Structures are given as structure tokens and as C-alpha cells.
Amino acid sequence: MSPTGMPSADLLGEQIASVLADPATTHGLARTLRAAAKEIELHRYHHASLRAWPSGRIDDKPAKVQIGGGAHRIDGYFNIDLAPPADLLWDIREGIPLQDSSVHEIFSEHFLEHIDYPCSAKSYVREAHRALAPGGRIITGVPDAAFALSHYPRPLDASDETIERWYAKRDCLGDINTRLDLVNLVFRDQDDDPTYTPHLWAYDHEKLVQLFTEAGFTTVEPWTFDPTVANPKRRWGSVYVIATK
Ligand SMILES: C[S@@+](CC[C@H](N)C(=O)[O-])C[C@H]1O[C@@H](n2cnc3c(N)ncnc32)[C@H](O)[C@@H]1O
């Protein structure tokens, strides 16, 4: 709590909003403060859920859970995400709010690269191992960095499928249009859009296998893309694995 009685994160949020509204604020400071403002909003969502579930575990035992699904909800799955719309707003960097050995399947795609590695990524995989029932499975899809790098040596032209597909998601062709820009996009994916979350780590099949094996999963295999579960727009340029506890 701040001396005013307002939670200190809320007070900081107000101060940041006022600095951001000041036209004298430099571009560099504004970028940093926008990132902080976003974390404050997520902190607020997370703490609202933590007040409902102070033990950090929900009472329900959903059989199937999607993490970081955003607007892509999957029928029959309990959706956990930092921000709405989701069944539970929870910051996975703080742990998975599920009881031990309770869930049969955890699904995520284009989520893991948005959390910091090694701290949060390794903790997420260890938490998934704890929450999964024996024989339970975790399916993980990420942008395939190996695929992106394999394109680097090739010539690129404006009609290249790589460019067209990567840019379909937003209009940045004017700025990101060389072969190295495309590599940067997968490894760093930055955007000045305040709602955008950058990529913090890049993955390929080998890295995913290492991550899940290290956390104690018995098998880690390629997962055959299933558009009834996965977001169809993720089929191209992604790598998926399924790991079994
Ligand atoms: C690029 S979107 C992918 C959405 C969806 N999976 C898809 O493929 O269309 C990344 C999602 O991960 C969520 N996310 C990022 N960091 C998270 C965290 N620490 N805890 C929970 N969700 C997180 C974001 O809120 C966002 O919905």
C-alpha cells in the first residue's frame, strides 16, 4: 500500500499514465513506461483472481486446459490467460492454478515464446508436469525458429509466401521486408502497439524436446496439427510437440 492507501501498483499506474500523457516524454521512456503500464494491468487481473483463489489453486479439476489461447477458445477446454476473454485470468509466470495430478491435457500455441526464458519457461513446464495426471499430455506449439532460419539463405521477393503469410497478421511490410527482418520477427517480434506482447525466446523442435525432457516428461514427440483444437492460422511456420507425463 502507498501512504495514500491506494495499492502501490495502482498509484504507479496513475503516475505512468500522467507521464505518458505528457508530450515532452521521450520515445524511449514512453516505450518502457508502456511496458510497465501493461504489466501493472496484468498484475491487477492476476491479483483479482488470487483474491478468489488465495491458495493459488482453483477448486475445479478441468480435464482439458488451454493456456494463453487469447480469443481462440476451444470447445471443451478451460481457458486460462493473462487477459480477457478467458475462463480464468491468471499470470502463468506465477504458476499454474491447478491441483496436483489433476488435468489430462494442457494445450498452448504461440504462448511459450511470450514468457521469459529460462526462469518462467522452465517453471511453466515444471508446473505443467506437477498439474498433469500420470499419463497426461501437454501439447505445445510455437513459431518455428528453425523454419525461419532455413529461409534466411534464400532470396526473398515481394511475392514470397514467407512474407505474405508473416505479414498477414499486421501491416508492417513497409518496415520488415528483408530476410534478416523476418528472422528478427520470429526472434524478437517487437511492436510499438501497446497491446502487443513481444517474443522473448525462440524455439525449435530440439529446444522443445530438451525443455520437456528436463522437466521429467517420459516422451516428447511431434504433434500432428489438428485444426479442431489448434488455431488454423498457426499451421504454417509453427512447430508442435506433445509430451507425456
Ligand atoms: C500471440 S497470443 C496467441 C493466442 C492464441 N494461442 C493463438 O494462437 O491465436 C499469446 C497469448 O498468450 C497470453 N499470455 C502471454 N503471457 C502470458 C502469461 N504470462 N500468462 C498467461 N497468458 C499469457 C496472451 O495474453 C495472449 O493471449
PDB file of all heavy atoms in Angstrom, residues 66 68-70 72 81-83 90-93 109-111 114-115 231 233-234, ligand 1:
ATOM      1  N   GLN A  66      -6.599 -24.980 -21.813  1.00  0.00           N
ATOM      2  CA  GLN A  66      -5.795 -24.231 -22.779  1.00  0.00           C
ATOM      3  C   GLN A  66      -5.159 -23.038 -22.045  1.00  0.00           C
ATOM      4  O   GLN A  66      -5.827 -22.322 -21.301  1.00  0.00           O
ATOM      5  CB  GLN A  66      -6.637 -23.703 -23.938  1.00  0.00           C
ATOM      6  CG  GLN A  66      -5.752 -22.864 -24.888  1.00  0.00           C
ATOM      7  CD  GLN A  66      -6.457 -22.288 -26.103  1.00  0.00           C
ATOM      8  OE1 GLN A  66      -5.859 -22.184 -27.166  1.00  0.00           O
ATOM      9  NE2 GLN A  66      -7.707 -21.909 -25.961  1.00  0.00           N
ATOM     10  N   GLY A  68      -3.077 -19.439 -22.536  1.00  0.00           N
ATOM     11  CA  GLY A  68      -2.682 -18.396 -23.494  1.00  0.00           C
ATOM     12  C   GLY A  68      -3.412 -18.509 -24.818  1.00  0.00           C
ATOM     13  O   GLY A  68      -2.820 -18.263 -25.869  1.00  0.00           O
ATOM     14  N   GLY A  69      -4.693 -18.836 -24.766  1.00  0.00           N
ATOM     15  CA  GLY A  69      -5.458 -19.012 -26.008  1.00  0.00           C
ATOM     16  C   GLY A  69      -5.943 -17.691 -26.595  1.00  0.00           C
ATOM     17  O   GLY A  69      -6.377 -17.645 -27.742  1.00  0.00           O
ATOM     18  N   GLY A  70      -5.913 -16.614 -25.804  1.00  0.00           N
ATOM     19  CA  GLY A  70      -6.416 -15.328 -26.294  1.00  0.00           C
ATOM     20  C   GLY A  70      -7.859 -15.477 -26.745  1.00  0.00           C
ATOM     21  O   GLY A  70      -8.682 -16.094 -26.058  1.00  0.00           O
ATOM     22  N   HIS A  72      -8.824 -17.251 -29.141  1.00  0.00           N
ATOM     23  CA  HIS A  72      -9.059 -18.587 -29.715  1.00  0.00           C
ATOM     24  C   HIS A  72      -9.451 -19.577 -28.614  1.00  0.00           C
ATOM     25  O   HIS A  72      -8.610 -20.287 -28.058  1.00  0.00           O
ATOM     26  CB  HIS A  72      -7.800 -19.068 -30.467  1.00  0.00           C
ATOM     27  CG  HIS A  72      -8.015 -20.396 -31.124  1.00  0.00           C
ATOM     28  ND1 HIS A  72      -7.498 -21.576 -30.620  1.00  0.00           N
ATOM     29  CD2 HIS A  72      -8.723 -20.731 -32.228  1.00  0.00           C
ATOM     30  CE1 HIS A  72      -7.877 -22.575 -31.396  1.00  0.00           C
ATOM     31  NE2 HIS A  72      -8.618 -22.085 -32.378  1.00  0.00           N
ATOM     32  N   ASP A  81      -5.740 -17.392 -19.268  1.00  0.00           N
ATOM     33  CA  ASP A  81      -4.927 -16.396 -19.979  1.00  0.00           C
ATOM     34  C   ASP A  81      -4.711 -15.216 -19.033  1.00  0.00           C
ATOM     35  O   ASP A  81      -5.443 -15.021 -18.072  1.00  0.00           O
ATOM     36  CB  ASP A  81      -5.658 -15.931 -21.255  1.00  0.00           C
ATOM     37  CG  ASP A  81      -4.726 -15.291 -22.276  1.00  0.00           C
ATOM     38  OD1 ASP A  81      -4.199 -14.188 -21.997  1.00  0.00           O
ATOM     39  OD2 ASP A  81      -4.515 -15.872 -23.344  1.00  0.00           O
ATOM     40  N   LEU A  82      -3.700 -14.430 -19.366  1.00  0.00           N
ATOM     41  CA  LEU A  82      -3.423 -13.195 -18.628  1.00  0.00           C
ATOM     42  C   LEU A  82      -4.564 -12.209 -18.681  1.00  0.00           C
ATOM     43  O   LEU A  82      -4.765 -11.424 -17.765  1.00  0.00           O
ATOM     44  CB  LEU A  82      -2.266 -12.455 -19.326  1.00  0.00           C
ATOM     45  CG  LEU A  82      -0.833 -12.699 -18.980  1.00  0.00           C
ATOM     46  CD1 LEU A  82       0.026 -11.834 -19.864  1.00  0.00           C
ATOM     47  CD2 LEU A  82      -0.590 -12.359 -17.527  1.00  0.00           C
ATOM     48  N   ALA A  83      -5.222 -12.177 -19.830  1.00  0.00           N
ATOM     49  CA  ALA A  83      -6.171 -11.094 -20.112  1.00  0.00           C
ATOM     50  C   ALA A  83      -7.450 -11.668 -20.703  1.00  0.00           C
ATOM     51  O   ALA A  83      -7.445 -12.785 -21.234  1.00  0.00           O
ATOM     52  CB  ALA A  83      -5.523 -10.113 -21.095  1.00  0.00           C
ATOM     53  N   TRP A  90      -5.104 -15.340 -15.255  1.00  0.00           N
ATOM     54  CA  TRP A  90      -4.024 -15.785 -14.369  1.00  0.00           C
ATOM     55  C   TRP A  90      -2.699 -15.579 -15.089  1.00  0.00           C
ATOM     56  O   TRP A  90      -2.584 -15.899 -16.280  1.00  0.00           O
ATOM     57  CB  TRP A  90      -4.196 -17.276 -14.041  1.00  0.00           C
ATOM     58  CG  TRP A  90      -3.388 -17.714 -12.864  1.00  0.00           C
ATOM     59  CD1 TRP A  90      -2.127 -18.246 -12.878  1.00  0.00           C
ATOM     60  CD2 TRP A  90      -3.777 -17.672 -11.488  1.00  0.00           C
ATOM     61  NE1 TRP A  90      -1.713 -18.528 -11.600  1.00  0.00           N
ATOM     62  CE2 TRP A  90      -2.710 -18.183 -10.717  1.00  0.00           C
ATOM     63  CE3 TRP A  90      -4.932 -17.241 -10.814  1.00  0.00           C
ATOM     64  CZ2 TRP A  90      -2.757 -18.268  -9.330  1.00  0.00           C
ATOM     65  CZ3 TRP A  90      -4.979 -17.345  -9.432  1.00  0.00           C
ATOM     66  CH2 TRP A  90      -3.900 -17.853  -8.710  1.00  0.00           C
ATOM     67  N   ASP A  91      -1.715 -15.079 -14.357  1.00  0.00           N
ATOM     68  CA  ASP A  91      -0.378 -14.920 -14.935  1.00  0.00           C
ATOM     69  C   ASP A  91       0.393 -16.214 -14.709  1.00  0.00           C
ATOM     70  O   ASP A  91       0.792 -16.526 -13.580  1.00  0.00           O
ATOM     71  CB  ASP A  91       0.323 -13.733 -14.266  1.00  0.00           C
ATOM     72  CG  ASP A  91       1.666 -13.430 -14.911  1.00  0.00           C
ATOM     73  OD1 ASP A  91       2.162 -14.269 -15.687  1.00  0.00           O
ATOM     74  OD2 ASP A  91       2.224 -12.361 -14.621  1.00  0.00           O
ATOM     75  N   ILE A  92       0.596 -16.953 -15.784  1.00  0.00           N
ATOM     76  CA  ILE A  92       1.225 -18.280 -15.690  1.00  0.00           C
ATOM     77  C   ILE A  92       2.663 -18.183 -15.186  1.00  0.00           C
ATOM     78  O   ILE A  92       3.213 -19.170 -14.675  1.00  0.00           O
ATOM     79  CB  ILE A  92       1.121 -18.975 -17.074  1.00  0.00           C
ATOM     80  CG1 ILE A  92      -0.327 -19.367 -17.351  1.00  0.00           C
ATOM     81  CG2 ILE A  92       2.054 -20.169 -17.208  1.00  0.00           C
ATOM     82  CD1 ILE A  92      -0.936 -20.348 -16.374  1.00  0.00           C
ATOM     83  N   ARG A  93       3.263 -17.007 -15.272  1.00  0.00           N
ATOM     84  CA  ARG A  93       4.610 -16.843 -14.711  1.00  0.00           C
ATOM     85  C   ARG A  93       4.577 -17.017 -13.200  1.00  0.00           C
ATOM     86  O   ARG A  93       5.621 -17.199 -12.567  1.00  0.00           O
ATOM     87  CB  ARG A  93       5.174 -15.458 -15.084  1.00  0.00           C
ATOM     88  CG  ARG A  93       5.425 -15.299 -16.568  1.00  0.00           C
ATOM     89  CD  ARG A  93       5.732 -13.868 -16.935  1.00  0.00           C
ATOM     90  NE  ARG A  93       4.589 -12.990 -16.695  1.00  0.00           N
ATOM     91  CZ  ARG A  93       4.550 -11.697 -16.995  1.00  0.00           C
ATOM     92  NH1 ARG A  93       5.586 -11.126 -17.563  1.00  0.00           N
ATOM     93  NH2 ARG A  93       3.477 -10.967 -16.754  1.00  0.00           N
ATOM     94  N   GLU A 109      -0.516 -22.713 -27.765  1.00  0.00           N
ATOM     95  CA  GLU A 109       0.184 -22.414 -29.030  1.00  0.00           C
ATOM     96  C   GLU A 109       0.459 -20.922 -29.076  1.00  0.00           C
ATOM     97  O   GLU A 109      -0.341 -20.103 -28.633  1.00  0.00           O
ATOM     98  CB  GLU A 109      -0.620 -22.883 -30.250  1.00  0.00           C
ATOM     99  CG  GLU A 109      -1.973 -22.230 -30.384  1.00  0.00           C
ATOM    100  CD  GLU A 109      -2.849 -22.864 -31.444  1.00  0.00           C
ATOM    101  OE1 GLU A 109      -2.344 -23.505 -32.386  1.00  0.00           O
ATOM    102  OE2 GLU A 109      -4.086 -22.713 -31.319  1.00  0.00           O
ATOM    103  N   HIS A 110       1.657 -20.599 -29.554  1.00  0.00           N
ATOM    104  CA  HIS A 110       2.101 -19.207 -29.674  1.00  0.00           C
ATOM    105  C   HIS A 110       1.941 -18.464 -28.337  1.00  0.00           C
ATOM    106  O   HIS A 110       1.499 -17.314 -28.298  1.00  0.00           O
ATOM    107  CB  HIS A 110       1.390 -18.519 -30.836  1.00  0.00           C
ATOM    108  CG  HIS A 110       1.908 -19.015 -32.166  1.00  0.00           C
ATOM    109  ND1 HIS A 110       2.482 -18.190 -33.094  1.00  0.00           N
ATOM    110  CD2 HIS A 110       1.996 -20.266 -32.668  1.00  0.00           C
ATOM    111  CE1 HIS A 110       2.863 -18.926 -34.141  1.00  0.00           C
ATOM    112  NE2 HIS A 110       2.590 -20.185 -33.888  1.00  0.00           N
ATOM    113  N   PHE A 111       2.254 -19.174 -27.270  1.00  0.00           N
ATOM    114  CA  PHE A 111       2.225 -18.605 -25.918  1.00  0.00           C
ATOM    115  C   PHE A 111       3.634 -18.636 -25.292  1.00  0.00           C
ATOM    116  O   PHE A 111       4.121 -17.626 -24.778  1.00  0.00           O
ATOM    117  CB  PHE A 111       1.223 -19.389 -25.045  1.00  0.00           C
ATOM    118  CG  PHE A 111       1.595 -19.422 -23.592  1.00  0.00           C
ATOM    119  CD1 PHE A 111       1.440 -18.288 -22.796  1.00  0.00           C
ATOM    120  CD2 PHE A 111       2.141 -20.571 -23.007  1.00  0.00           C
ATOM    121  CE1 PHE A 111       1.822 -18.301 -21.453  1.00  0.00           C
ATOM    122  CE2 PHE A 111       2.527 -20.582 -21.680  1.00  0.00           C
ATOM    123  CZ  PHE A 111       2.361 -19.450 -20.895  1.00  0.00           C
ATOM    124  N   HIS A 114       6.293 -15.998 -25.473  1.00  0.00           N
ATOM    125  CA  HIS A 114       5.982 -14.684 -24.883  1.00  0.00           C
ATOM    126  C   HIS A 114       6.384 -14.590 -23.416  1.00  0.00           C
ATOM    127  O   HIS A 114       6.223 -13.534 -22.803  1.00  0.00           O
ATOM    128  CB  HIS A 114       4.482 -14.372 -25.013  1.00  0.00           C
ATOM    129  CG  HIS A 114       4.053 -14.157 -26.433  1.00  0.00           C
ATOM    130  ND1 HIS A 114       4.160 -12.945 -27.065  1.00  0.00           N
ATOM    131  CD2 HIS A 114       3.545 -15.015 -27.355  1.00  0.00           C
ATOM    132  CE1 HIS A 114       3.720 -13.054 -28.311  1.00  0.00           C
ATOM    133  NE2 HIS A 114       3.350 -14.303 -28.515  1.00  0.00           N
ATOM    134  N   ILE A 115       6.857 -15.685 -22.824  1.00  0.00           N
ATOM    135  CA  ILE A 115       7.308 -15.598 -21.430  1.00  0.00           C
ATOM    136  C   ILE A 115       8.827 -15.752 -21.403  1.00  0.00           C
ATOM    137  O   ILE A 115       9.420 -16.356 -22.300  1.00  0.00           O
ATOM    138  CB  ILE A 115       6.589 -16.613 -20.500  1.00  0.00           C
ATOM    139  CG1 ILE A 115       6.821 -18.057 -20.914  1.00  0.00           C
ATOM    140  CG2 ILE A 115       5.097 -16.309 -20.435  1.00  0.00           C
ATOM    141  CD1 ILE A 115       6.223 -19.077 -19.941  1.00  0.00           C
ATOM    142  N   ASN A 231      -5.418 -23.356 -33.530  1.00  0.00           N
ATOM    143  CA  ASN A 231      -5.853 -22.222 -34.339  1.00  0.00           C
ATOM    144  C   ASN A 231      -5.373 -22.460 -35.790  1.00  0.00           C
ATOM    145  O   ASN A 231      -4.165 -22.542 -36.017  1.00  0.00           O
ATOM    146  CB  ASN A 231      -5.217 -20.949 -33.771  1.00  0.00           C
ATOM    147  CG  ASN A 231      -5.724 -19.695 -34.441  1.00  0.00           C
ATOM    148  OD1 ASN A 231      -6.274 -19.753 -35.543  1.00  0.00           O
ATOM    149  ND2 ASN A 231      -5.537 -18.564 -33.791  1.00  0.00           N
ATOM    150  N   LYS A 233      -4.794 -20.743 -38.236  1.00  0.00           N
ATOM    151  CA  LYS A 233      -3.813 -19.810 -38.812  1.00  0.00           C
ATOM    152  C   LYS A 233      -2.398 -20.084 -38.294  1.00  0.00           C
ATOM    153  O   LYS A 233      -1.429 -19.523 -38.801  1.00  0.00           O
ATOM    154  CB  LYS A 233      -4.225 -18.357 -38.570  1.00  0.00           C
ATOM    155  CG  LYS A 233      -4.019 -17.829 -37.188  1.00  0.00           C
ATOM    156  CD  LYS A 233      -4.404 -16.348 -37.119  1.00  0.00           C
ATOM    157  CE  LYS A 233      -4.139 -15.804 -35.728  1.00  0.00           C
ATOM    158  NZ  LYS A 233      -4.578 -14.456 -35.503  1.00  0.00           N
ATOM    159  N   ARG A 234      -2.253 -20.979 -37.329  1.00  0.00           N
ATOM    160  CA  ARG A 234      -0.931 -21.315 -36.784  1.00  0.00           C
ATOM    161  C   ARG A 234      -0.282 -22.499 -37.487  1.00  0.00           C
ATOM    162  O   ARG A 234       0.851 -22.863 -37.168  1.00  0.00           O
ATOM    163  CB  ARG A 234      -1.026 -21.637 -35.290  1.00  0.00           C
ATOM    164  CG  ARG A 234      -1.646 -20.549 -34.438  1.00  0.00           C
ATOM    165  CD  ARG A 234      -0.838 -19.292 -34.482  1.00  0.00           C
ATOM    166  NE  ARG A 234      -1.333 -18.289 -33.542  1.00  0.00           N
ATOM    167  CZ  ARG A 234      -0.998 -17.017 -33.589  1.00  0.00           C
ATOM    168  NH1 ARG A 234      -0.204 -16.572 -34.529  1.00  0.00           N
ATOM    169  NH2 ARG A 234      -1.470 -16.173 -32.708  1.00  0.00           N
TER     170      ARG A 234
HETATM  171  C1  LIG B   1       0.173 -14.411 -29.570  1.00  0.00           C
HETATM  172  S1  LIG B   1      -1.168 -14.697 -28.484  1.00  0.00           S
HETATM  173  C2  LIG B   1      -1.674 -16.329 -29.028  1.00  0.00           C
HETATM  174  C3  LIG B   1      -3.129 -16.572 -28.845  1.00  0.00           C
HETATM  175  C4  LIG B   1      -3.614 -17.939 -29.350  1.00  0.00           C
HETATM  176  N1  LIG B   1      -2.955 -19.034 -28.655  1.00  0.00           N
HETATM  177  C5  LIG B   1      -3.410 -18.089 -30.841  1.00  0.00           C
HETATM  178  O1  LIG B   1      -2.561 -18.890 -31.247  1.00  0.00           O
HETATM  179  O2  LIG B   1      -4.085 -17.383 -31.590  1.00  0.00           O
HETATM  180  C6  LIG B   1      -0.356 -15.030 -26.916  1.00  0.00           C
HETATM  181  C7  LIG B   1      -1.344 -15.244 -25.767  1.00  0.00           C
HETATM  182  O3  LIG B   1      -0.600 -15.636 -24.593  1.00  0.00           O
HETATM  183  C8  LIG B   1      -1.128 -14.922 -23.490  1.00  0.00           C
HETATM  184  N2  LIG B   1      -0.074 -14.821 -22.479  1.00  0.00           N
HETATM  185  C9  LIG B   1       1.141 -14.235 -22.631  1.00  0.00           C
HETATM  186  N3  LIG B   1       1.828 -14.284 -21.470  1.00  0.00           N
HETATM  187  C10 LIG B   1       1.032 -14.927 -20.571  1.00  0.00           C
HETATM  188  C11 LIG B   1       1.159 -15.263 -19.186  1.00  0.00           C
HETATM  189  N4  LIG B   1       2.252 -14.922 -18.506  1.00  0.00           N
HETATM  190  N5  LIG B   1       0.146 -15.919 -18.575  1.00  0.00           N
HETATM  191  C12 LIG B   1      -0.979 -16.237 -19.263  1.00  0.00           C
HETATM  192  N6  LIG B   1      -1.178 -15.938 -20.565  1.00  0.00           N
HETATM  193  C13 LIG B   1      -0.189 -15.279 -21.217  1.00  0.00           C
HETATM  194  C14 LIG B   1      -1.523 -13.561 -24.067  1.00  0.00           C
HETATM  195  O4  LIG B   1      -2.440 -12.870 -23.234  1.00  0.00           O
HETATM  196  C15 LIG B   1      -2.120 -13.980 -25.419  1.00  0.00           C
HETATM  197  O5  LIG B   1      -3.496 -14.289 -25.323  1.00  0.00           O
END
